[in-house]
Structure formats: C-alpha cells, structure tokens
C-alpha cells in the first residue's frame, strides 16, 4: 500500500479503461500542435475520418462538432452581416485594423476594400476552400452597403439567412452561394 492507501497496481487497474482515450487525445495533441480555428478543424476532421478505431473516431467527431460551433457562428455572421468578431484571430477572414474607411466618401476605389478584409488561407477548413472567395466577397459586400452614407441597410434577410451548420457541406456551400447572390443583388439595387 502507498501512503495514500492506493497501491500502484490498483491505480493501474482503475486507469486501464481510460488509457485508450488518453492515447487518442495524445494523438490529437501531437497532430494539432498549435493549430487553431479552421486549421484545427481540419486536423480534427482528418482524425474523425481515419484516426484510429471506432471509439477514437467517435470522440474526434464529438470534439470536431464542438470546436466547429464558434467558427460556423462567425462564418454565419460574416456572410449575412459582414461582421467579424474574432478576438483570438482564429477565423478565416482577417481584419486589417490599420485600414480605415476615412477616404471612402472621396475615393470609393481606395485600397481599403482590397486590404481591410482578407482570407487567412491556413484558417480555411478544407470543405470551405472551394468557396472561400465567395465567403470573403459576400461579407465585403455587406460592409460596402453599410458604409454608404444615408443607406438603410439591414442584415441579410433573416428567413434566407439560416445559420451555417458544421458537417452539412453541400447545404453550407449552397447557403454561402445564396448569401453571396443576395449581397450582390443588394449592392446593385
């Protein structure tokens, strides 16, 4: 017996069921390194598809779903509102705070629109890469509309602006294309 009353063999016995989970978590930590945002979602996505046995993949699937929620909430807000709330720089759209809109009234073609919002390629999850430019431009369009003095621009139509959901690739791509088209129409009207 140890001084605490728990012999090493008994401790090993109690920990035995958890060793598989701990090994799977160790594999995740090694694979993820310092990845965050969309890069972390890609690591979890790879592991959930081919990362060990079924219990490990189920755990990775659970972690992926939970980790994807804030990313997809930011994505939904960006494509429907043109707003970025990314305090930890984990979202796929970067905001260059040094670019200010003070010259927009005089020169609408200023570098502001090119440099204020950009795509962080490393933070784009693989299932969103084909539509990354549409995502960027849809949010920029909503920003353009909000920057016009005197224009009363509301959020993207709530009925059409359903939240994007992790894992629903086809549905998300379709929703992003629709949001892009609505933003472009609103800009041209």
């Amino acid at each position: 017996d140890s001084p605490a009353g728990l012999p090493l063999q008994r401790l090993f016995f109690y920990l035995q069921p958890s060793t598989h989970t701990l090994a799977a978590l160790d594999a995740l930590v090694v694979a993820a390194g310092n990845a965050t945002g969309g890069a972390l979602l890609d690591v979890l996505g790879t592991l959930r598809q081919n990362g060990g046995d079924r219990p490990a993949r189920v755990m990775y699937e659970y972690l992926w779903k939970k980790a994807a929620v804030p990313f997809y909430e930011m994505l939904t807000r960006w494509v429907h509102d043109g707003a970025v709330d990314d305090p930890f720089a984990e979202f796929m759209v970067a905001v260059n705070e040094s670019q200010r809109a003070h010259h927009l009234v005089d020169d609408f073609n200023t570098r502001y629109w090119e440099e204020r919002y950009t795509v962080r390629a490393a933070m784009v999850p693989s299932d969103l890469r084909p539509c990354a430019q549409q995502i960027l431009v849809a949010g920029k369009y909503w920003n353009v509309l909000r920057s016009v003095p005197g224009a009363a621009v509301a959020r993207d139509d709530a009925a059409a602006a359903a939240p994007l959901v992790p894992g629903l690739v086809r549905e998300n791509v379709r929703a992003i294309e629709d949001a892009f088209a609505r933003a472009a129409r609103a800009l041209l009207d």
Side-chain angles (χ1 to χ4, degrees), residues 8-76:
L8 193 54
Q9 286 178 323
R10 189 174 295 164
L11 175 64
F12 182 75
F13 173 76
Y14 289 137
L15 292 176
Q16 193 62 37
S18 303
T19 57
H20 183 72
T21 302
L22 293 172
L25 287 172
D26 178 61
L28 168 60
V29 169
V30 168
N34 291 325
T36 61
L40 178 60
L41 293 180
D42 273 351
V43 170
L44 283 166
T46 299
L47 289 172
R48 76 186 174 124
Q49 290 175 353
N50 51 10
D53 61 3
R54 187 174 178 342
R57 288 192 310 273
V58 167
M59 180 186 65
Y60 295 139
E61 174 77 18
Y62 173 81
L63 293 172
W64 179 84
K65 283 181 180 176
K66 295 298 181 182
V69 168
F71 184 92
Y72 277 81
E73 286 173 352
M74 284 189 272
L75 180 61
T76 298

Side-chain angles (χ1 to χ4, degrees), residues 25-175:
L25 287 172
D26 178 61
L28 168 60
V29 169
V30 168
N34 291 325
T36 61
L40 178 60
L41 293 180
D42 273 351
V43 170
L44 283 166
T46 299
L47 289 172
R48 76 186 174 124
Q49 290 175 353
N50 51 10
D53 61 3
R54 187 174 178 342
R57 288 192 310 273
V58 167
M59 180 186 65
Y60 295 139
E61 174 77 18
Y62 173 81
L63 293 172
W64 179 84
K65 283 181 180 176
K66 295 298 181 182
V69 168
F71 184 92
Y72 277 81
E73 286 173 352
M74 284 189 272
L75 180 61
T76 298
R77 190 152 181 238
W78 173 252
V79 298
H80 297 303
D81 295 334
V84 176
D85 181 20
D86 186 18
F88 304 107
E90 296 177 322
F91 187 51
M92 62 181 282
V93 175
V95 180
N96 181 351
E97 298 292 342
S98 69
Q99 288 295 324
R100 299 286 178 204
H102 59 278
H103 294 293
L104 287 179
V105 174
D106 301 325
D107 180 12
F108 203 72
N109 292 319
T110 184
R111 293 183 336 181
Y112 176 83
W113 297 116
E114 286 296 316
E115 297 176 6
R116 172 74 172 173
Y117 302 102
T118 56
V119 171
R120 284 187 191 110
M123 293 294 182
V124 180
S126 56
D127 57 334
L128 296 175
R129 284 190 191 116
C131 54
Q133 278 308 115
Q134 275 189 320
I135 291 168
L136 177 67
V137 173
K140 281 184 175 185
Y141 283 177
W142 291 118
N143 274 278
V144 169
L145 289 165
R146 283 200 316 255
S147 70
V148 175
V153 178
R155 178 185 191 274
D156 193 4
D157 180 14
L164 299 167
V165 180
L168 302 179
V169 178
R170 270 192 298 256
E171 293 86 345
N172 288 338
V173 169
R174 193 173 312 116

Side-chain angles (χ1 to χ4, degrees), residues 1 76 101 115 138 176 178:
D1 274 344
T76 298
E115 297 176 6
I176 289 164
D178 290 346

